[in-house]
Structure formats: structure tokens, C-alpha cells
Coordinates of all heavy atoms in Angstrom, one line a residue:
M1051 N 116.2 115.7 68.8 CA 116.7 114.7 69.7 C 116.2 114.9 71.1 O 116.2 116.0 71.6 CB 118.2 114.8 69.6 CG 118.9 113.7 70.4 SD 120.6 113.6 69.9 CE 121.4 113.8 71.5
S1052 N 115.7 113.8 71.7 CA 115.1 113.9 73.0 C 116.1 113.9 74.1 O 117.2 113.2 73.9 CB 114.0 112.9 73.2 OG 114.6 111.7 73.6
R1053 N 115.9 114.5 75.2 CA 116.9 114.4 76.3 C 116.8 113.1 76.9 O 115.9 112.4 76.9 CB 116.5 115.5 77.3 CG 116.7 116.9 76.9 CD 116.8 117.9 78.0 NE 115.6 117.8 78.9 CZ 115.5 118.6 79.9 NH1 116.3 119.6 80.1 NH2 114.4 118.5 80.7
K1054 N 117.9 112.7 77.5 CA 118.1 111.5 78.3 C 118.2 111.8 79.7 O 118.7 112.8 80.2 CB 119.4 110.7 77.9 CG 119.5 110.5 76.4 CD 119.0 109.1 76.0 CE 119.3 108.8 74.6 NZ 118.3 108.2 73.9
I1055 N 117.6 111.0 80.6 CA 117.6 111.1 82.0 C 118.3 109.9 82.6 O 118.1 108.7 82.2 CB 116.1 111.1 82.5 CG1 115.3 112.2 81.9 CG2 116.1 111.3 84.1 CD1 115.7 113.6 82.1
K1056 N 119.2 110.2 83.6 CA 119.9 109.2 84.3 C 119.2 108.9 85.6 O 119.2 109.8 86.5 CB 121.4 109.7 84.5 CG 122.3 108.6 85.1 CD 123.7 109.2 85.2 CE 124.7 108.3 85.8 NZ 126.0 108.8 85.9
L1057 N 118.6 107.8 85.8 CA 117.9 107.4 87.0 C 119.0 106.8 87.9 O 119.8 105.9 87.4 CB 116.8 106.4 86.8 CG 115.7 107.0 85.9 CD1 114.6 105.9 85.7 CD2 115.1 108.2 86.5
I1058 N 119.1 107.2 89.1 CA 120.2 106.8 90.0 C 119.7 106.2 91.3 O 118.8 106.7 91.9 CB 121.1 108.0 90.3 CG1 121.6 108.6 89.0 CG2 122.2 107.7 91.3 CD1 122.2 110.0 89.2
W1059 N 120.4 105.1 91.7 CA 120.1 104.4 93.0 C 121.4 104.6 93.8 O 122.5 104.2 93.4 CB 119.8 103.0 92.8 CG 118.4 102.8 92.3 CD1 117.3 102.5 92.9 CD2 118.1 102.8 90.8 NE1 116.2 102.4 92.0 CE2 116.7 102.6 90.7 CE3 118.8 103.0 89.6 CZ2 116.1 102.6 89.5 CZ3 118.2 103.1 88.5 CH2 116.8 102.8 88.4
D1060 N 121.3 105.2 95.0 CA 122.5 105.4 95.9 C 122.7 104.2 96.9 O 121.7 103.8 97.5 CB 122.3 106.7 96.7 CG 122.2 107.9 95.8 OD1 123.2 108.2 95.1 OD2 121.1 108.5 95.7
F1061 N 123.9 103.8 97.1 CA 124.2 102.8 98.1 C 125.3 103.3 98.9 O 126.3 103.8 98.4 CB 124.5 101.5 97.4 CG 123.4 101.0 96.5 CD1 123.4 101.2 95.1 CD2 122.3 100.3 97.1 CE1 122.4 100.8 94.4 CE2 121.2 99.9 96.3 CZ 121.3 100.1 94.9
R1062 N 125.2 103.1 100.2 CA 126.2 103.5 101.2 C 126.7 102.4 102.1 O 125.9 101.5 102.4 CB 125.7 104.7 102.0 CG 125.3 105.9 101.1 CD 124.8 107.1 101.9 NE 124.3 108.2 101.1 CZ 125.0 109.0 100.3 NH1 126.3 108.9 100.3 NH2 124.4 109.9 99.6
G1063 N 127.8 102.5 102.6 CA 128.4 101.5 103.5 C 129.5 100.7 102.9 O 129.8 100.8 101.7
P1064 N 130.1 99.9 103.7 CA 131.3 99.1 103.2 C 131.0 98.1 102.0 O 131.8 97.8 101.3 CB 131.8 98.3 104.4 CG 130.7 98.4 105.4 CD 129.8 99.6 105.1
A1065 N 129.7 97.7 101.9 CA 129.3 96.8 100.8 C 128.7 97.5 99.6 O 128.1 96.9 98.7 CB 128.3 95.8 101.3
S1066 N 128.8 98.9 99.6 CA 128.1 99.7 98.6 C 128.5 99.3 97.2 O 127.6 99.2 96.3 CB 128.3 101.1 98.8 OG 129.7 101.5 98.8
A1067 N 129.8 99.0 96.9 CA 130.2 98.7 95.6 C 129.6 97.4 95.1 O 129.0 97.4 93.9 CB 131.7 98.6 95.5
K1068 N 129.6 96.4 95.9 CA 129.0 95.1 95.5 C 127.5 95.2 95.3 O 126.9 94.6 94.4 CB 129.3 94.0 96.5 CG 130.7 93.5 96.4 CD 130.9 92.7 95.1 CE 132.2 92.1 95.1 NZ 132.5 91.5 93.8
T1069 N 126.8 96.0 96.2 CA 125.4 96.2 96.1 C 125.0 97.0 94.8 O 124.1 96.5 94.1 CB 124.9 97.0 97.4 OG1 125.3 96.3 98.5 CG2 123.4 97.1 97.3
A1070 N 125.7 98.0 94.5 CA 125.4 98.7 93.2 C 125.7 97.8 92.0 O 124.9 97.8 91.1 CB 126.3 99.9 93.2
E1071 N 126.7 97.0 92.0 CA 127.0 96.1 90.9 C 125.9 95.1 90.8 O 125.4 94.8 89.7 CB 128.3 95.4 91.2 CG 128.8 94.5 90.1 CD 130.1 93.8 90.4 OE1 130.6 93.9 91.5 OE2 130.7 93.2 89.4
H1072 N 125.4 94.6 91.9 CA 124.3 93.6 91.9 C 123.0 94.3 91.4 O 122.2 93.6 90.7 CB 124.1 93.0 93.3 CG 123.1 91.9 93.3 ND1 123.4 90.6 92.8 CD2 121.8 91.9 93.7 CE1 122.3 89.9 93.0 NE2 121.3 90.7 93.5
H1073 N 122.8 95.5 91.9 CA 121.6 96.2 91.5 C 121.5 96.4 89.9 O 120.5 96.3 89.3 CB 121.5 97.6 92.2 CG 120.1 98.2 92.0 ND1 119.0 97.8 92.7 CD2 119.7 99.2 91.3 CE1 118.0 98.5 92.4 NE2 118.3 99.4 91.5
E1074 N 122.7 96.7 89.3 CA 122.7 96.8 87.9 C 122.3 95.5 87.2 O 121.6 95.6 86.1 CB 124.1 97.2 87.4 CG 124.2 97.4 85.9 CD 125.5 97.4 85.3 OE1 126.5 97.0 85.9 OE2 125.6 97.8 84.1
I1075 N 122.6 94.4 87.7 CA 122.2 93.1 87.2 C 120.6 93.1 87.1 O 120.0 92.7 86.1 CB 122.7 91.9 88.0 CG1 124.2 91.8 87.8 CG2 122.0 90.6 87.6 CD1 124.9 90.9 88.7
H1076 N 120.0 93.5 88.2 CA 118.5 93.5 88.2 C 117.9 94.5 87.3 O 116.9 94.3 86.7 CB 118.1 93.8 89.7 CG 118.3 92.6 90.6 ND1 117.7 91.4 90.5 CD2 119.1 92.6 91.7 CE1 118.1 90.6 91.4 NE2 118.9 91.3 92.2
L1077 N 118.6 95.6 87.1 CA 118.1 96.6 86.1 C 118.1 96.0 84.7 O 117.2 96.1 83.9 CB 119.0 97.9 86.1 CG 118.8 98.7 87.3 CD1 119.8 99.9 87.3 CD2 117.4 99.3 87.5
K1078 N 119.2 95.3 84.4 CA 119.4 94.6 83.1 C 118.3 93.5 82.9 O 117.7 93.4 81.8 CB 120.7 94.1 82.9 CG 121.8 95.1 82.6 CD 123.2 94.4 82.5 CE 124.2 95.5 82.2 NZ 125.6 94.9 82.0
E1079 N 118.1 92.8 83.9 CA 117.0 91.7 83.9 C 115.7 92.3 83.7 O 114.9 91.8 82.9 CB 117.0 90.9 85.2 CG 118.2 90.1 85.4 CD 118.3 89.5 86.8 OE1 117.6 89.9 87.7 OE2 119.1 88.5 86.9
Y1080 N 115.4 93.5 84.3 CA 114.1 94.2 84.1 C 113.9 94.6 82.6 O 112.9 94.4 82.0 CB 114.0 95.4 85.0 CG 112.8 96.2 84.7 CD1 111.5 95.8 85.1 CD2 112.9 97.4 84.0 CE1 110.4 96.6 84.9 CE2 111.8 98.1 83.7 CZ 110.5 97.7 84.1 OH 109.4 98.5 83.8
L1081 N 115.0 95.1 82.1 CA 114.9 95.6 80.7 C 114.7 94.4 79.7 O 113.8 94.6 78.8 CB 116.2 96.3 80.3 CG 116.5 97.6 81.0 CD1 117.9 98.2 80.7 CD2 115.4 98.7 80.7
I1082 N 115.3 93.3 80.0 CA 115.1 92.1 79.1 C 113.7 91.6 79.3 O 112.9 91.3 78.3 CB 116.1 91.0 79.5 CG1 117.5 91.5 79.0 CG2 115.7 89.7 78.8 CD1 118.6 90.6 79.5
Q1083 N 113.2 91.5 80.6 CA 111.9 90.9 80.9 C 110.8 91.8 80.2 O 109.8 91.3 79.7 CB 111.7 90.9 82.4 CG 110.3 90.5 82.8 CD 110.2 90.6 84.3 OE1 111.2 90.4 85.1 NE2 109.0 90.9 84.8
E1084 N 111.0 93.1 80.3 CA 109.9 94.0 79.7 C 110.2 94.4 78.3 O 109.4 95.1 77.7 CB 109.9 95.3 80.6 CG 109.5 95.1 82.0 CD 108.1 94.5 82.2 OE1 107.2 95.0 81.4 OE2 107.9 93.6 83.0
K1085 N 111.2 93.8 77.7 CA 111.6 94.0 76.3 C 111.8 95.4 75.9 O 111.3 95.9 74.9 CB 110.5 93.3 75.4 CG 110.3 91.9 75.6 CD 109.2 91.3 74.7 CE 109.1 89.8 74.8 NZ 108.9 89.2 76.1
H1086 N 112.5 96.1 76.8 CA 112.9 97.5 76.5 C 114.2 97.5 75.7 O 115.1 96.7 75.9 CB 113.1 98.3 77.8 CG 111.8 98.6 78.5 ND1 110.9 99.5 78.1 CD2 111.3 98.1 79.6 CE1 109.9 99.5 78.9 NE2 110.1 98.7 79.9
Q1087 N 114.3 98.5 74.8 CA 115.5 98.6 73.9 C 116.6 99.3 74.6 O 117.7 99.4 74.1 CB 115.1 99.3 72.6 CG 114.1 98.5 71.8 CD 114.5 97.1 71.4 OE1 115.7 96.9 71.0 NE2 113.7 96.1 71.6
I1088 N 116.4 100.0 75.7 CA 117.4 100.7 76.4 C 118.6 99.8 76.8 O 118.4 98.7 77.3 CB 116.8 101.4 77.6 CG1 115.7 102.3 77.2 CG2 117.9 102.2 78.4 CD1 114.8 102.7 78.3
Q1089 N 119.8 100.3 76.5 CA 120.9 99.5 76.8 C 121.9 100.1 77.8 O 122.9 99.6 78.1 CB 121.7 99.2 75.5 CG 120.9 98.5 74.5 CD 120.5 97.1 74.9 OE1 121.3 96.4 75.6 NE2 119.3 96.6 74.6
I1090 N 121.7 101.4 78.2 CA 122.7 102.1 79.0 C 122.4 101.9 80.5 O 121.4 102.4 81.0 CB 122.7 103.6 78.7 CG1 123.0 103.8 77.2 CG2 123.7 104.3 79.6 CD1 122.8 105.2 76.8
T1091 N 123.1 101.0 81.1 CA 123.1 100.8 82.6 C 124.5 100.8 83.1 O 125.4 100.7 82.3 CB 122.4 99.4 82.9 OG1 123.2 98.4 82.4 CG2 121.0 99.3 82.4
G1092 N 124.7 100.9 84.4 CA 126.0 100.9 84.9 C 126.0 101.0 86.4 O 125.0 101.2 87.0
F1093 N 127.2 101.0 86.9 CA 127.4 101.3 88.3 C 128.8 102.0 88.5 O 129.6 101.8 87.6 CB 127.3 100.1 89.3 CG 128.5 99.2 89.1 CD1 129.5 99.2 90.0 CD2 128.6 98.2 88.1 CE1 130.7 98.4 90.0 CE2 129.6 97.4 88.1 CZ 130.7 97.4 89.0
E1094 N 128.9 102.9 89.4 CA 130.1 103.7 89.7 C 130.4 103.6 91.2 O 129.5 103.8 92.0 CB 129.9 105.1 89.3 CG 129.7 105.3 87.8 CD 129.4 106.8 87.5 OE1 129.9 107.7 88.2 OE2 128.8 107.1 86.5
V1095 N 131.6 103.4 91.5 CA 132.1 103.4 92.9 C 132.7 104.8 93.1 O 133.7 105.2 92.4 CB 133.2 102.3 93.1 CG1 133.7 102.5 94.5 CG2 132.6 101.0 92.9
I1096 N 132.0 105.6 94.0 CA 132.4 106.9 94.2 C 133.6 106.9 95.2 O 134.6 107.6 95.0 CB 131.3 107.8 94.7 CG1 130.0 107.6 93.8 CG2 131.7 109.2 95.0 CD1 130.2 108.0 92.4
N1097 N 133.4 106.2 96.3 CA 134.5 106.0 97.2 C 134.3 104.7 98.0 O 133.3 103.9 97.6 CB 134.7 107.2 98.2 CG 133.5 107.5 99.0 OD1 132.9 106.5 99.6 ND2 133.1 108.7 99.2
D1098 N 135.0 104.3 99.0 CA 134.9 103.0 99.6 C 133.6 102.8 100.4 O 133.3 101.7 100.8 CB 136.1 102.6 100.4 CG 136.4 103.6 101.6 OD1 135.8 104.7 101.6 OD2 137.2 103.2 102.5
M1099 N 132.8 103.9 100.6 CA 131.6 103.8 101.3 C 130.4 104.3 100.6 O 129.3 104.5 101.1 CB 131.7 104.7 102.6 CG 132.8 104.2 103.6 SD 132.3 102.6 104.3 CE 131.2 103.2 105.6
Y1100 N 130.5 104.6 99.2 CA 129.5 105.1 98.4 C 129.6 104.7 97.0 O 130.7 104.8 96.4 CB 129.4 106.6 98.6 CG 128.4 107.3 97.8 CD1 127.1 107.0 97.8 CD2 128.7 108.4 96.9 CE1 126.1 107.6 97.1 CE2 127.8 109.1 96.2 CZ 126.4 108.7 96.3 OH 125.5 109.3 95.5
A1101 N 128.5 104.1 96.5 CA 128.5 103.7 95.1 C 127.0 104.0 94.5 O 126.1 104.1 95.3 CB 128.9 102.2 94.9
I1102 N 126.9 104.0 93.2 CA 125.6 104.2 92.6 C 125.4 103.2 91.5 O 126.4 102.7 90.9 CB 125.4 105.6 92.0 CG1 126.4 105.8 90.8 CG2 125.5 106.7 93.1 CD1 126.2 107.1 90.0
A1103 N 124.2 102.8 91.2 CA 123.7 102.1 90.0 C 122.9 103.1 89.2 O 122.2 104.0 89.8 CB 123.0 100.8 90.4
F1104 N 122.9 102.9 87.9 CA 122.1 103.9 87.1 C 121.5 103.2 85.9 O 122.0 102.2 85.4 CB 122.9 105.1 86.8 CG 124.1 104.8 85.9 CD1 124.0 104.8 84.5 CD2 125.4 104.6 86.5 CE1 125.1 104.5 83.7 CE2 126.5 104.3 85.7 CZ 126.4 104.3 84.3
L1105 N 120.5 103.9 85.3 CA 119.8 103.5 84.1 C 119.5 104.8 83.4 O 119.0 105.7 83.9 CB 118.5 102.8 84.4 CG 117.5 102.5 83.3 CD1 118.2 101.6 82.3 CD2 116.3 101.9 83.9
V1106 N 119.9 104.8 82.1 CA 119.6 106.0 81.3 C 118.5 105.7 80.4 O 118.4 104.7 79.7 CB 120.9 106.4 80.5 CG1 120.6 107.6 79.5 CG2 122.1 106.7 81.3
I1107 N 117.5 106.6 80.4 CA 116.3 106.5 79.7 C 116.0 107.8 78.9 O 116.6 108.8 79.2 CB 115.1 106.1 80.6 CG1 114.9 107.2 81.6 CG2 115.3 104.8 81.2 CD1 113.6 107.1 82.4
E1108 N 115.0 107.7 78.0 CA 114.5 108.9 77.3 C 113.6 109.6 78.2 O 112.8 109.0 79.0 CB 113.9 108.5 76.0 CG 114.8 108.0 75.0 CD 114.3 108.0 73.6 OE1 113.4 108.8 73.3 OE2 114.8 107.2 72.8
E1109 N 113.6 111.0 78.2 CA 112.8 111.8 79.1 C 111.3 111.4 79.0 O 110.6 111.4 80.0 CB 113.0 113.3 78.7 CG 112.3 114.2 79.7 CD 112.6 115.7 79.4 OE1 112.9 116.0 78.2 OE2 112.6 116.4 80.4
K1110 N 110.8 111.1 77.8 CA 109.4 110.7 77.6 C 109.0 109.5 78.4 O 107.8 109.3 78.7 CB 109.1 110.5 76.1 CG 109.7 109.4 75.5 CD 109.3 109.3 74.0 CE 109.9 108.1 73.3 NZ 109.6 106.8 73.9
D1111 N 109.9 108.6 78.7 CA 109.6 107.4 79.5 C 109.9 107.5 81.0 O 109.7 106.6 81.7 CB 110.5 106.3 78.9 CG 110.2 105.9 77.5 OD1 109.0 106.1 77.1 OD2 111.1 105.6 76.7
M1112 N 110.3 108.7 81.5 CA 110.8 108.9 82.8 C 109.7 108.5 83.8 O 110.0 107.8 84.8 CB 111.2 110.3 83.0 CG 111.9 110.6 84.3 SD 110.9 111.0 85.8 CE 110.1 112.4 85.2
I1113 N 108.5 108.9 83.6 CA 107.4 108.7 84.7 C 107.2 107.1 84.8 O 107.1 106.6 85.9 CB 106.1 109.4 84.2 CG1 106.3 110.9 84.1 CG2 105.0 109.0 85.2 CD1 106.5 111.6 85.4
I1114 N 107.2 106.4 83.7 CA 106.9 105.0 83.7 C 108.0 104.3 84.5 O 107.7 103.5 85.4 CB 106.8 104.4 82.3 CG1 105.7 105.0 81.5 CG2 106.8 102.9 82.3 CD1 105.7 104.8 80.0
F1115 N 109.3 104.6 84.2 CA 110.4 104.0 84.9 C 110.5 104.4 86.3 O 110.8 103.6 87.2 CB 111.7 104.2 84.1 CG 111.9 103.4 82.9 CD1 111.5 103.8 81.7 CD2 112.5 102.2 83.0 CE1 111.7 103.0 80.5 CE2 112.8 101.3 81.9 CZ 112.3 101.8 80.7
R1116 N 110.3 105.6 86.6 CA 110.3 106.2 87.9 C 109.3 105.4 88.8 O 109.6 105.0 90.0 CB 110.0 107.6 87.9 CG 110.1 108.3 89.4 CD 109.5 109.6 89.5 NE 108.0 109.4 89.3 CZ 107.1 110.3 89.1 NH1 107.5 111.6 88.9 NH2 105.8 110.1 89.0
D1117 N 108.1 105.3 88.3 CA 107.0 104.7 89.2 C 107.3 103.2 89.4 O 106.9 102.7 90.5 CB 105.6 104.9 88.5 CG 105.2 106.4 88.6 OD1 105.9 107.2 89.3 OD2 104.2 106.7 87.9
V1118 N 107.8 102.5 88.4 CA 108.0 101.1 88.6 C 109.3 100.8 89.4 O 109.3 99.9 90.3 CB 108.1 100.4 87.2 CG1 108.5 99.0 87.3 CG2 106.8 100.5 86.5
L1119 N 110.4 101.5 89.0 CA 111.7 101.1 89.6 C 112.1 101.9 90.8 O 113.1 101.5 91.5 CB 112.8 101.3 88.5 CG 112.6 100.4 87.3 CD1 113.7 100.7 86.2 CD2 112.6 98.9 87.7
K1120 N 111.5 103.0 91.1 CA 111.7 103.8 92.4 C 113.2 104.2 92.5 O 113.8 103.9 93.6 CB 111.2 103.0 93.6 CG 109.8 102.4 93.5 CD 108.8 103.4 93.9 CE 107.5 102.8 94.1 NZ 106.5 103.0 93.1
P1121 N 113.7 104.9 91.6 CA 115.1 105.4 91.8 C 115.1 106.4 92.9 O 114.1 107.0 93.3 CB 115.5 106.1 90.5 CG 114.1 106.5 89.9 CD 113.1 105.4 90.4
H1122 N 116.3 106.6 93.5 CA 116.5 107.6 94.6 C 116.5 109.0 94.0 O 116.1 109.9 94.7 CB 117.8 107.3 95.3 CG 117.7 106.0 96.0 ND1 118.8 105.2 96.0 CD2 116.8 105.4 96.7 CE1 118.5 104.0 96.7 NE2 117.3 104.2 97.1
R1123 N 117.0 109.1 92.8 CA 117.1 110.5 92.2 C 117.3 110.3 90.7 O 117.5 109.3 90.2 CB 118.1 111.3 92.9 CG 119.6 110.7 92.8 CD 120.5 111.5 93.8 NE 121.8 110.8 93.8 CZ 122.8 111.1 93.0 NH1 122.7 112.1 92.2 NH2 124.0 110.4 93.1
G1124 N 117.4 111.5 90.0 CA 117.6 111.5 88.6 C 118.3 112.8 88.2 O 118.3 113.8 88.9
E1125 N 119.0 112.7 87.0 CA 119.6 113.9 86.5 C 119.6 113.8 85.0 O 119.5 112.7 84.4 CB 121.0 114.1 87.1 CG 121.9 112.9 86.7 CD 123.3 113.0 87.4 OE1 123.4 113.5 88.6 OE2 124.3 112.7 86.8
I1126 N 119.8 115.0 84.4 CA 120.0 115.0 82.9 C 121.3 114.3 82.5 O 122.3 114.6 83.1 CB 119.9 116.4 82.4 CG1 118.6 117.0 82.9 CG2 120.1 116.5 80.9 CD1 117.8 117.9 82.0
F1127 N 121.2 113.5 81.5 CA 122.4 112.7 81.1 C 123.0 113.4 79.8 O 122.3 113.8 79.0 CB 121.9 111.3 80.7 CG 123.1 110.4 80.2 CD1 124.0 109.9 81.1 CD2 123.2 110.1 78.9 CE1 125.0 109.1 80.7 CE2 124.2 109.3 78.4 CZ 125.1 108.8 79.3
G1128 N 124.3 113.5 79.9 CA 124.9 114.0 78.7 C 125.8 115.2 78.9 O 126.5 115.7 79.3

């Protein structure tokens, strides 16, 4: 079983939750447009001034997604 990587985009400020939620919409649109089978996306509100959007991919695809989507950081998922 291959490892999964969680690509993360960080958003800060009073509008961070709405921005992260909106960014997830664009991640889903990208997956549909490029016909990727990956289905794990989301956003999390950490506090009232910080939220993240994320996309979980297989480790073998990390370079491709990283170069195209420019996440702020990544971590092992699971």
C-alpha cells in the first residue's frame, strides 16, 4: 500500500475560513478538469484567524501536484 500525502494551503486572517472553503472548491474543480480519481479534499478551521484547505494524494503523484498546485506545505496522511 502506498503512502498518502496531505498537501496543505494555509490561510490566515479574519476571512481565513471562507477563503479555505473557497479554495477547496477550486481543488475539486481541478480534479474534475484533469480527470483525477482522487476524492479526498477538505478544509479545516483551526481558529478564528487560521484555516487550511487540503488535498490528499498518493506519494508517487506528489511532485506533479506540488508543481502545478503550489501547496504551502505537506505531511504524511494517516
